[in-house]
């Protein structure tokens, strides 16, 4: 288990909070731009925030197979709580009278971290029954080249052509590898599909006669004949398209499965259909505990339920920074769906890892 963690100290709250949000943006970009995983940015409830901190910001992912949310990374504004506890101070830079002792200021602190959980999230969202599906930007091997249709008369020429394709792709900055092992073609296909290599290139005698290769994408298994004259350009564009399409497919699934719920009677059925929920919420800790208790299977009396459905209660995942506007939260009018108190914001609730 590996993780990345950082801490910093500032004179004031504004600088510290600015950094906390900048780091959160970097974490979102890691997920979306590298791993092709969509996330929801927001802040944690009082109950779920980092103990001793002032504000915990978070990126939350969604695993469609189980319908659960998963915390992707957090960035905290700790205020002066820990600096006062451990007397972490700096000298006040403001002008002082000659001979006066410069006063001390307790610093405002931040803390942020991201772990190898990111890899697990990527695997669960993109993987399929054949194995891993890796976005091109993070794949150790982006393209695997496999000789096909080998016979004694053509083996040398086909293998040489494969190595030439590899050399051209490597020169173009593409991480390519040729599989020249003494296994049959089907075994090699399965081997690299299991490992999630984004693009497979097949090179056979008939391909060489047509001055082309045949490609197959790992995410869609779409096959395409590619002219050797446009090899580097076509493969580069193919991987750019694959990266973007993987993110958009995952985003479309997540958006479809985040349901706005405006009445309590619809809350548990939405969870049981493997969805996350956006609900008008009062943000009270007591209410959050009641939501968790009331959405656990063993307290849902007289409600028919599939025995295979998750039984764990729901918890708040975040208060999203991007709030729904239809319908908007109206102060003093919109009520929390669980307790009836005035709602403050929409909150993302769901079963989670």
């Amino acid at each position: 288990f590996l993780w990345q963690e950082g801490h910093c100290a500032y004179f004031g709250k504004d600088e510290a909070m600015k950094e906390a949000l900048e780091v959160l943006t970097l974490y979102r970009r890691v997920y979306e731009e590298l791993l092709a995983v969509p996330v929801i940015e927001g802040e944690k409830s009082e109950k779920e925030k980092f103990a001793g901190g002032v504000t915990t910001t978070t990126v939350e992912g969604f695993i469609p197979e189980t319908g659960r949310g998963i915390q992707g990374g957090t960035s905290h504004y700790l205020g002066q709580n820990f600096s006062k506890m451990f007397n972490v101070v700096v000298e006040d830079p403001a002008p002082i009278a000659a001979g006066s002792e410069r006063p001390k200021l307790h610093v405002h602190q931040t803390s942020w971290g991201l772990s190898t959980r990111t890899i697990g999230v990527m695997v669960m969202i993109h993987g399929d029954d054949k194995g891993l599906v890796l976005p091109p930007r993070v794949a150790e091997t982006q393209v695997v080249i496999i000789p096909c249709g080998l016979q004694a008369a053509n083996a040398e020429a086909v293998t040489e052509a494969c190595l030439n394709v590899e050399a051209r792709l490597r020169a173009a900055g593409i991480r390519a590898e040729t599989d020249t092992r003494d296994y049959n073609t089907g075994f090699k296909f399965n081997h690299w599909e299991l490992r999630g290599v984004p693009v497979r290139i097949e090179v056979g005698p008939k391909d060489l006669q047509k001055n082309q290769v045949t490609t197959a994408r790992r995410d869609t298994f779409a096959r395409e004949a590619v002219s050797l004259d446009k090899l580097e350009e076509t493969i580069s564009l193919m991987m750019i398209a694959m990266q973007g399409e993987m993110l958009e497919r995952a985003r479309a699934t997540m958006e479809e499965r985040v349901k706005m719920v405006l009445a309590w009677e619809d809350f548990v059925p939405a969870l049981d259909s493997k969805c996350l929920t956006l609900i008008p919420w009062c943000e009270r800790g007591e209410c959050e505990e009641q939501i968790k208790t009331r959405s656990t299977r063993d307290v849902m009396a007289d409600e028919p339920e599939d025995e295979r459905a998750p039984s764990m209660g729901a918890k708040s995942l975040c208060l999203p920074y991007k709030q729904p506007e239809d319908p908007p939260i109206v102060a003093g009018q919109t009520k929390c769906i669980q307790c009836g108190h005035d709602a403050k914001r929409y909150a993302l609730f769901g079963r989670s890892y």
Side-chain angles (χ1 to χ4, degrees):
F1 180 81
L2 301 174
W3 68 94
Q4 169 271 331
E5 182 174 328
H7 299 262
C8 203
Y10 289 89
F11 279 117
K13 172 184 176 179
D14 292 345
E15 297 169 289
M17 194 64 201
K18 179 183 177 184
E19 184 203 66
L21 292 174
E22 287 176 346
V23 171
L24 188 73
T25 297
L26 291 176
Y27 289 166
R28 175 186 58 78
R29 293 182 62 191
V30 167
Y31 275 102
E32 296 187 346
E33 296 178 20
L34 298 181
L35 304 178
V37 169
V39 291
I40 296 173
E41 292 178 283
E43 64 184 54
K44 290 291 190 179
S45 67
E46 284 295 308
K47 181 178 180 297
E48 292 293 328
K49 75 178 183 180
F50 181 74
V54 175
T55 301
T56 290
T57 68
T58 182
V59 287
E60 299 286 327
F62 173 67
I63 309 301
E65 186 68 22
T66 60
R68 294 189 187 186
I70 186 165
Q71 180 178 290
T74 51
S75 182
H76 316 279
Y77 167 58
L78 304 177
Q80 295 172 304
N81 295 340
F82 291 95
S83 64
K84 289 180 178 179
M85 186 183 303
F86 296 103
N87 197 34
V88 181
V89 296
V90 293
E91 291 186 344
D92 189 342
I96 59 172
S100 300
E101 183 178 352
R102 192 171 290 279
K104 301 293 192 295
L105 299 176
H106 288 94
V107 298
H108 292 254
Q109 293 177 273
T110 62
S111 172
W112 21 271
L114 191 73
S115 79
T116 44
R117 168 181 290 208
T118 55
I119 298 173
V121 173
M122 177 196 69
V123 169
M124 288 192 287
I125 287 179
H126 296 310
D128 60 21
D129 290 343
K130 291 182 178 291
L132 296 176
V133 181
L134 298 177
R137 286 185 180 171
V138 296
E140 182 179 14
T141 299
Q142 295 174 312
V143 177
V144 63
I145 304 144
I146 299 179
C148 300
L150 294 180
Q151 297 178 355
N154 61 34
E156 183 176 347
V158 170
T159 300
E160 183 178 346
C162 289
L163 295 174
N164 181 56
V165 167
E166 177 187 337
R168 288 176 59 182
L169 293 177
R170 284 178 175 271
I174 296 170
R175 299 186 291 276
E177 180 177 341
T178 301
D179 190 343
T180 57
R181 295 175 300 165
D182 190 20
Y183 292 113
N184 65 50
T185 302
F187 177 92
K188 292 179 181 181
F189 283 7
N190 181 73
H191 176 91
W192 295 105
E193 286 172 358
L194 184 67
R195 286 156 179 77
V197 172
V199 177
R200 181 178 73 232
I201 293 180
E202 304 163 18
V203 181
K206 293 183 179 179
D207 291 307
L208 296 181
Q209 291 174 6
K210 299 176 182 178
N211 192 43
Q212 69 178 32
V213 296
T214 301
T215 63
R217 280 175 45 165
R218 176 62 183 87
D219 61 330
T220 62
F221 296 101
R223 295 171 62 82
E224 179 184 345
V226 174
S227 169
L228 285 171
D229 295 334
K230 298 181 178 180
L231 177 69
E232 296 88 343
E233 177 186 3
T234 303
I235 298 301
S236 294
L237 292 175
M238 184 180 297
M239 291 196 296
I240 291 172
M242 181 177 175
Q243 183 83 29
E245 290 168 16
M246 288 180 67
L247 174 61
E248 290 311 308
R249 281 196 301 270
R251 193 191 304 280
T253 298
M254 182 177 72
E255 290 177 351
E256 181 183 359
R257 302 270 287 280
V258 175
K259 303 293 186 182
M260 182 178 291
V261 175
L262 302 177
W264 176 258
E265 56 266 28
D266 299 324
F267 183 74
V268 173
L271 298 176
D272 291 343
S273 62
K274 296 185 177 181
C275 293
L276 303 181
T277 64
L278 277 170
I279 66 170
W281 188 43
C282 62
E283 301 184 29
R284 297 183 307 120
E286 178 184 3
C287 180
E288 185 165 1
E289 283 295 333
Q290 291 169 349
I291 289 173
K292 183 175 182 179
T293 299
R294 291 183 66 188
S295 59
T296 302
R297 182 193 302 180
D298 59 9
V299 300
M300 295 186 298
D302 301 323
E303 293 186 23
E305 184 177 9
D306 188 331
E307 285 298 316
R308 296 169 295 177
S311 61
M312 66 187 300
K315 71 175 186 178
S316 70
L317 304 177
C318 74
L319 296 156
Y321 287 133
K322 184 178 180 181
Q323 287 280 301
E325 297 179 352
D326 185 20
I329 298 290
V330 180
Q333 296 183 27
T334 307
K335 302 300 180 182
C336 172
I337 69 165
Q338 195 279 143
C339 67
H341 282 70
D342 288 348
K344 296 181 178 179
R345 283 178 286 184
Y346 280 100
L348 184 69
F349 270 80
R351 296 178 171 127
S352 70
Y353 288 95

